[in-house]
Amino acid sequence: TMLGRRVLSALRPALGRAVRANAFPAMSQTVFGARGLKSQPHGGKLVNRMVGEAEGKEAIKACNGLTMELSERQSCDVELINVGAFSPLEGFMNEDAWTSVLQDMKLPGSGLLFGLPVVLDTNRDDLTPGKKVTLTYQGIPLAVLDIESRWKPNKALECKLSYGFTTLEHPGVRMISMERGHTYIGGKLTGLAIPKRPFPSITPADTRAALPTDKDVVAFQCRNPIHRAHYELFIRALDAPNVEPGSVVLVHPTCGPTQEDDIDGVTRYKTYEVLKAELDNPKVHWSYLPYSMHMAGPREAIQHMLIRKNYGCTHFIIGRDMAGSKSSITGDDFYGAYDAQDFAKKHGPELGMTPVPSLNLVYTEEKDYVTAEQAKEEKLHEKKLSGTAFRKMLRGGEDIPEWFAFKSVVKVLREEEMKK
């Protein structure tokens, strides 16, 4: 159509930039076998929806000018589907898959475990089944969606089953009810480009290629700057009884959108980079995940585990109150401290991932970091610093004790604070 030709012409400069940036890998397979690591991808194959330049242009042409600009959260989901982080998904869930995952945490047909729905929301009436739409982010075409399903979700039910709550005090409930559109659309994606982000997001295939093939790989997920206690947690996890000697850890922070009062992803990325250089530890691998947090507690722990399985990990560190959140009114925790750990232990065998419960570490004057149990038994003197006190000291220019935070990380946080 004339409209389609006009829109395609308008998109061509952006598409050209994507091509020049090598956004189209020289690989057009939908799925491919994973490298021979100890961990196989979820479902047995690592999905890859990216296509070559010629096929990408044809896919855009088939949309007849229909486009949809994505939010940052939506762009994260598109990227993770395209590169296989959500394997075995090949696109956004349709209504049947959405319902099945909500009710049973199972993908229909295969019966594979899946923690949370992955859906695309919209307020538009013109995005209907049978149509194809080019999904853009910041004007760059990322994918073409072949719309197979369209429905108006019961958002109250979705929140209740996903998070266990329907109150707006929960950040995930606010996201679903206040940020998302009234309609969901699902269907397969044809991947065109990877979004340009302030941080490098290495694909599951490339991450797997950098990991050792004969060792356990322990994943450490975080959404905050890494302080000394976090470091002690993931280093000591390598000595856990269910981890083989000589294994490695993949520090894999989420740098996408999270809850409102978290430190922004760019600042978090900068703290990780300086710490990576400071540690320079061959046992510690680093990669960054463009994932949009739900703060869903136990069910999000399952989501994190299956993603890290696709990135080549065999084990996953489950911290206290993993992916937890607090009421925006009372400050009370929505989930118990060990709810996510118990849930991960229950579903880990089915998922093919081994949970590694994090140690409850405290800092002591006598013996540095030890478990809380050891500190109590030996009557050691603990030293504590709350997050609130840390932030106050940070803003006030006070010295932060090195037992609590790395100097390199503190320097970045202070520099970013001064820019506000």
Side-chain angles (χ1 to χ4, degrees):
T1 65
M2 181 64 70
L3 175 61
R5 287 193 292 272
R6 286 201 300 268
V7 174
L8 182 59
S9 177
L11 284 173
R12 192 167 285 123
L15 183 59
R17 291 194 297 273
V19 173
R20 289 192 294 274
N22 295 319
F24 297 98
M27 184 183 301
S28 59
Q29 303 99 306
T30 300
V31 295
F32 55 89
R35 181 171 173 265
L37 299 180
K38 294 181 70 173
S39 172
Q40 290 299 302
H42 199 37
K45 290 183 180 293
L46 193 62
V47 169
N48 175 37
R49 300 301 297 170
M50 302 301 292
V51 299
E53 178 182 351
E55 192 175 345
K57 288 182 177 180
E58 286 301 312
I60 291 177
K61 186 177 180 181
C63 296
N64 293 317
L66 194 61
T67 66
M68 173 182 172
E69 177 70 9
L70 302 170
S71 68
E72 184 183 7
R73 284 187 184 273
Q74 291 171 332
S75 77
C76 289
D77 286 341
V78 168
E79 179 175 354
L80 294 182
I81 293 170
N82 279 342
V83 300
F86 281 138
S87 294
L89 296 189
E90 297 183 350
F92 284 102
M93 292 180 181
N94 59 26
E95 185 174 6
D96 289 343
W98 174 79
T99 301
S100 180
V101 170
L102 277 182
Q103 295 180 345
D104 305 315
M105 284 205 316
K106 302 280 188 180
L107 292 174
S110 67
L112 287 169
L113 194 67
F114 216 93
L116 294 165
V118 179
V119 294
L120 183 62
D121 64 287
T122 182
N123 285 322
R124 288 170 51 175
D125 297 325
D126 60 333
L127 302 177
T128 54
K131 291 183 178 180
K132 299 177 187 292
V133 56
T134 301
L135 305 178
T136 65
Y137 179 58
Q138 297 177 340
I140 302 295
L142 298 187
V144 167
L145 171 66
D146 188 349
I147 305 173
E148 301 167 3
S149 179
R150 176 186 173 95
W151 73 102
K152 290 190 181 297
N154 181 336
K155 291 189 175 183
L157 178 66
E158 182 177 15
C159 291
K160 184 66 175 177
L161 295 179
S162 295
Y163 311 136
F165 301 91
T166 56
T167 173
L168 290 175
E169 297 172 43
H170 190 293
V173 175
R174 290 197 297 277
M175 183 270 290
I176 286 180
S177 61
M178 300 171 66
E179 291 183 28
R180 283 186 180 173
H182 54 62
T183 297
Y184 292 170
I185 53 178
K188 287 187 177 183
L189 291 181
T190 299
L192 306 176
I194 302 298
K196 184 177 181 180
R197 303 190 187 280
F199 56 90
S201 49
I202 304 172
T203 67
D206 288 341
T207 301
R208 297 176 75 92
L211 294 172
T213 59
D214 58 343
K215 300 180 186 299
D216 287 342
V217 180
V218 182
F220 178 70
Q221 141 71 23
C222 60
R223 69 174 203 277
N224 292 304
I226 293 174
H227 296 312
R228 271 290 309 281
H230 302 117
Y231 169 74
E232 297 292 337
L233 281 178
F234 68 69
I235 284 296
R236 297 184 190 208
L238 294 177
D239 297 322
N242 59 354
V243 177
E244 291 186 358
S247 298
V248 300
V249 63
L250 174 65
V251 181
H252 204 207
T254 54
C255 293
T258 177
Q259 61 183 353
E260 299 95 333
D261 58 349
D262 279 353
I263 293 174
D264 67 274
V266 175
T267 299
R268 298 199 306 270
Y269 162 65
K270 290 179 180 179
T271 67
Y272 302 142
E273 283 293 285
V274 296
L275 185 57
K276 179 172 71 172
E278 180 177 337
L279 297 177
D280 192 26
N281 187 338
K283 286 188 175 181
V284 183
H285 294 247
W286 295 76
S287 187
Y288 305 112
L289 186 71
Y291 174 81
S292 171
M293 290 289 295
H294 287 250
M295 315 308 299
R299 287 188 63 149
E300 189 150 33
I302 302 301
Q303 199 84 332
H304 281 300
M305 288 173 72
L306 76 85
I307 289 172
R308 276 32 180 249
K309 180 182 180 182
N310 287 325
Y311 276 85
C313 300
T314 57
H315 295 63
F316 186 80
I317 300 171
I318 302 284
R320 297 174 76 252
D321 195 23
M322 168 79 189
S325 54
K326 298 178 183 293
S327 164
S328 59
I329 296 176
T330 67
D332 294 337
D333 292 320
F334 279 107
Y335 308 106
Y338 300 102
D339 286 357
Q341 287 188 6
D342 293 341
F343 205 63
K345 289 176 185 177
K346 177 182 177 181
H347 293 285
E350 180 183 355
L351 187 58
M353 286 283 284
T354 303
V356 181
S358 66
L359 298 171
N360 184 14
L361 297 178
V362 296
Y363 182 80
T364 64
E365 294 179 359
E366 298 88 350
K367 292 190 174 182
D368 205 87
Y369 279 94
V370 299
T371 63
E373 294 78 13
Q374 181 183 348
K376 183 177 180 181
E377 182 180 327
E378 299 182 14
K379 297 181 179 179
L380 303 176
H381 296 87
E382 295 182 30
K383 298 184 76 171
K384 297 182 179 180
L385 182 64
S386 70
T388 301
F390 168 67
R391 289 188 290 272
K392 184 178 179 181
M393 294 172 70
L394 195 67
R395 289 192 295 267
E398 299 177 52
D399 288 337
I400 308 294
E402 289 188 52
W403 64 261
F404 182 85
F406 294 95
K407 279 188 173 181
S408 58
V409 171
V410 170
K411 183 174 183 290
V412 171
L413 292 175
R414 281 212 165 110
E415 288 172 351
E416 294 302 312
E417 185 70 27
M418 291 175 62
K419 293 178 182 179
K420 296 179 181 179

